[in-house]
Amino acid sequence: MIYLDNAATTPVLPEVSQAMLDTLNTTFGNPSSIHSYGRSAGKVIRDARKTIASILDVPARNLIFTSGGSEANNQALLGYALANRDKGNHIITTAIEHHAVLHTVQYLQERHDFDVTLITPNPDGSYTADLVTDALRDDTIMVSTMYANNETGQVLPIAEIADRLKTHQAVYHVDAVQVMGKIPVHPIALGIDFLSASAHKFHGPKGVGFLYHGDLKFDNLIHGGEQENGRRAGTESIHNIVGMATALEIAAEQFESNDDKVSARKAQLLSELDGLDYYINEFGKTMSHVLNLGFPGFNQDLLLMKLDLQGVAISTGSACTAGAIEPSHVLEAVFGKTSSKLKESVRVSLSDLTTSEEITEFVRILKSILLQK
């Protein structure tokens, strides 16, 4: 098998799975219990929180462990909007966000009468801080953008947007799922008020993530207990939290070398695609691990099926919609609903584990399919 869908999820590192197994075998106490088993479990969670907080350079008290990026996004958006609507009812986000953001603001709009502005990109597909500034109103209470897009790898101007919001009441939420564990991210230095991340995007386990939050007023999403400093009820998934902290710690030690590896594989892929008729859906600065390619006249569904039959895994875009093979809302925002690019574009996403041999074999298989059409 050749796995090139790392933007959807990444393989769990052996060191991470071992840390999780050790935790399962040795730390079974409920962290909320006051006896020694509970205190031992509580310490494991505190240590993991400190590890992640140190990497992000934030206070440990400002991290909430969640079930993943989707919950973290929901907690930030719903929690802040519902707790602060006395300040206004306008929310700004972009048309290329993950559905965990788009569907959440749609819920706020339809069920709680919030006014939502979806910013569309410039004609060249770029997003600038001016687009956010132009959409701001006196009653805007929140701006939410992704750090990097999951389908194209496009990097948004996070620091510049945050700087524009310094003199406005609106808080800034950033979905950092596609960058966490790949580049250094320091929310306070960047001016970010809420930041979401998910462990399975950086060689950690599925079912766990975190939300960084500033010292702001926001409602809880899950009620019923005082876990997570009273911010999220429910017994913590200790082994998953340990796995996430371990994975992020490993990634943080190798940010530069891992990016060099991925960039080399991406350059190799583009070099070996020579001779094929293709285009790249790229809009300014992009993350090195994501490459969105279009093959004129070749249906993406058919291509994915033929690749899968030969042991190659790529995707058409977001894993949360791939099962239905829906047209990309990200590409639609740039090219329009009728563009053929929506039906012939695929995403190839790499990791530091991707080998040169895998790239060569993928291109060989890809060419055998495309040149036979």
Side-chain angles (χ1 to χ4, degrees):
M1 291 292 293
I2 299 175
Y3 183 75
L4 299 175
D5 196 18
N6 290 277
T9 195
T10 52
V12 176
L13 293 175
E15 305 96 311
V16 172
S17 58
Q18 186 61 54
M20 294 172 66
L21 182 60
D22 291 345
T23 304
L24 281 169
N25 288 334
T26 63
T27 312
F28 61 86
N30 189 316
S32 297
S33 298
I34 61 174
H35 49 61
S36 61
Y37 294 95
R39 294 196 304 272
S40 176
K43 183 180 185 303
V44 169
I45 292 177
R46 288 194 300 274
D47 289 345
R49 199 186 310 275
K50 288 177 183 177
T51 295
I52 296 174
S54 176
I55 294 169
L56 271 62
D57 198 19
V58 300
R61 70 174 187 277
N62 294 128
L63 290 178
I64 301 172
F65 291 136
T66 69
S67 63
S70 292
E71 183 191 328
N73 286 337
N74 273 259
Q75 172 64 82
L77 292 163
L78 296 175
Y80 189 82
L82 295 177
N84 294 275
R85 65 183 315 161
D86 58 313
K87 299 178 181 178
N89 76 328
H90 182 230
I91 299 171
I92 297 172
T93 190
T94 79
I96 65 169
E97 297 300 308
H98 190 278
H99 286 116
V101 168
L102 292 178
H103 289 175
T104 304
V105 297
Q106 182 182 7
Y107 169 82
L108 284 167
Q109 184 176 39
E110 295 176 352
R111 297 296 297 272
H112 295 281
D113 296 322
F114 279 86
D115 192 5
V116 177
T117 296
L118 292 182
I119 301 175
T120 55
N122 291 311
D124 63 356
S126 67
Y127 274 94
T128 62
D130 285 340
L131 292 176
V132 174
T133 304
D134 293 344
L136 282 174
R137 305 187 326 208
D138 290 342
D139 63 339
T140 306
I141 61 170
M142 194 172 207
V143 174
S144 178
T145 74
M146 49 183 27
Y147 202 126
N149 185 261
N150 52 296
E151 294 192 25
T152 65
Q154 178 181 7
V155 177
L156 276 65
I158 300 303
E160 190 175 353
I161 293 172
D163 187 63
R164 301 286 184 91
L165 295 176
K166 284 182 178 178
T167 57
H168 195 281
Q169 70 164 351
V171 301
Y172 191 22
H173 166 251
V174 173
D175 178 348
V177 165
Q178 282 298 329
V179 301
M180 188 60 60
K182 298 175 177 64
I183 61 173
V185 179
H186 302 123
I188 294 176
L190 288 167
I192 296 169
D193 299 297
F194 291 96
L195 181 137
S196 307
S198 189
H200 73 101
K201 304 293 188 178
F202 49 88
H203 300 302
K206 299 173 185 65
V208 65
F210 64 82
L211 174 70
Y212 160 76
H213 62 87
D215 294 319
L216 300 165
K217 181 181 75 171
F218 58 96
D219 289 349
N220 290 1
L221 187 66
I222 299 176
H223 304 269
E226 294 301 314
Q227 291 88 352
E228 295 302 296
N229 296 317
R231 287 299 193 180
R232 182 188 188 268
T235 303
E236 295 92 342
S237 181
I238 307 173
H239 64 291
N240 275 328
I241 291 171
V242 167
M244 175 168 63
T246 303
L248 190 56
E249 189 171 30
I250 293 171
E253 294 171 351
Q254 304 172 7
F255 279 140
E256 187 172 349
S257 61
N258 282 347
D259 189 62
D260 287 344
K261 290 177 187 177
V262 175
S263 296
R265 296 290 80 77
K266 187 175 186 177
Q268 176 192 351
L269 172 57
L270 291 173
S271 174
E272 295 189 9
L273 284 175
D274 185 50
L276 286 179
D277 182 16
Y278 75 94
Y279 54 85
I280 305 175
N281 295 310
E282 190 173 73
F283 315 109
K285 181 181 179 182
T286 61
M287 294 294 293
S288 57
H289 70 292
V290 179
L291 186 61
N292 197 291
L293 300 170
F295 300 97
F298 206 101
N299 183 275
Q300 58 188 198
D301 303 0
L302 181 61
L303 178 57
L304 258 65
M305 180 187 69
K306 290 191 173 186
L307 285 170
D308 186 45
L309 289 173
Q310 297 199 51
V312 178
I314 63 171
S315 75
T316 58
S318 172
C320 298
T321 59
I325 311 293
E326 296 175 359
S328 167
H329 69 283
V330 175
L331 298 183
E332 181 182 316
V334 181
F335 301 118
K337 292 183 178 181
T338 60
S339 173
S340 60
K341 294 185 176 183
L342 274 64
K343 296 182 179 180
E344 59 191 23
S345 296
V346 297
R347 180 186 69 187
V348 179
S349 50
L350 317 171
S351 86
D352 53 289
L353 301 180
T354 305
T355 67
S356 175
E357 292 76 15
E358 287 175 324
I359 294 297
T360 296
E361 181 62 7
F362 163 61
V363 173
R364 184 194 69 77
I365 294 171
L366 180 66
K367 287 184 175 181
S368 72
I369 294 171
L370 294 174
L371 297 178
Q372 286 179 0
K373 71 173 186 175

